Amino acid sequence: MTVDVLTHDEETAETPAVATEEAAVTESASPASASEEPAEPAAEEEAPKPKRGRPKGAATASTAKKTRTVELILTVTGTADGEWQAELKNGSKWVAKGLEIPAAAVSRAAKELHAELSGPIDEVINQAREAQAAKVAALEAELEKAKQALAELDV
């Protein structure tokens, strides 16, 4: 390997561009520069690695409002007799238990919420209404018999 060294007189005679090229060739051919090349990747490895995830800070802070969700569980139960009750639970804490509510209110609420809810609920309410109507008819017949028996005793 040949290394060209320029003297002061030769440097002034040449243009700066040529001197720069020769200096670059001289540096790349020198054995000291071969030992410096592995040092550069080591310097890159020492640089901190970027962290995973979104960076925190004012520049990346979202201006959107965060929505707070609340879990409320409303359970409405009904019997074949048309008696309805409601229970309300907030997370794991009971807010209300065993509240009696009218069937008409259940029907209105179901219609307000969704048509798919109101159909089955109205069927249950109609069945309860028919059962209660049959019970009223049976009681009215029994009441008529009792009135006739009383009238016969009053003679």
Side-chain angles (χ1 to χ4, degrees):
M1 191 178 305
T2 307
V3 178
D4 294 328
V5 179
L6 299 176
T7 61
H8 180 56
D9 294 334
E10 291 176 342
E11 284 181 12
T12 56
E14 294 186 27
T15 61
V18 174
T20 306
E21 287 178 8
E22 286 182 14
V25 169
T26 305
E27 286 178 10
S28 63
S30 69
S33 66
S35 65
E36 290 177 4
E37 288 177 4
E40 288 180 25
E44 290 176 12
E45 290 177 15
E46 292 176 16
K49 294 182 180 179
K51 295 181 179 178
R52 293 174 37 178
R54 292 192 296 177
K56 295 181 181 176
T60 60
S62 174
T63 59
K65 284 186 174 181
K66 293 185 179 181
T67 304
R68 184 176 154 227
T69 59
V70 178
E71 181 182 321
L72 292 173
I73 300 171
L74 173 64
T75 306
V76 178
T77 55
T79 64
D81 295 333
E83 296 175 6
W84 291 85
Q85 291 186 350
E87 298 175 340
L88 183 63
K89 195 173 185 181
N90 185 358
S92 62
K93 181 182 174 186
W94 287 103
V95 177
K97 281 181 109 176
L99 296 175
E100 291 186 24
I101 52 176
V106 174
S107 179
R108 283 192 309 269
K111 286 177 186 170
E112 287 287 323
L113 291 173
H114 202 278
E116 289 182 23
L117 297 175
S118 66
I121 289 175
D122 284 342
E123 286 178 22
V124 171
I125 291 173
N126 287 335
Q127 288 173 355
R129 183 178 292 120
E130 290 171 4
Q132 289 297 327
K135 190 175 181 181
V136 167
L139 288 173
E140 284 177 346
E142 187 178 336
L143 179 62
E144 277 301 315
K145 287 181 185 177
K147 283 182 180 180
Q148 286 176 355
L150 182 63
E152 289 175 3
L153 293 174
D154 282 340
V155 176

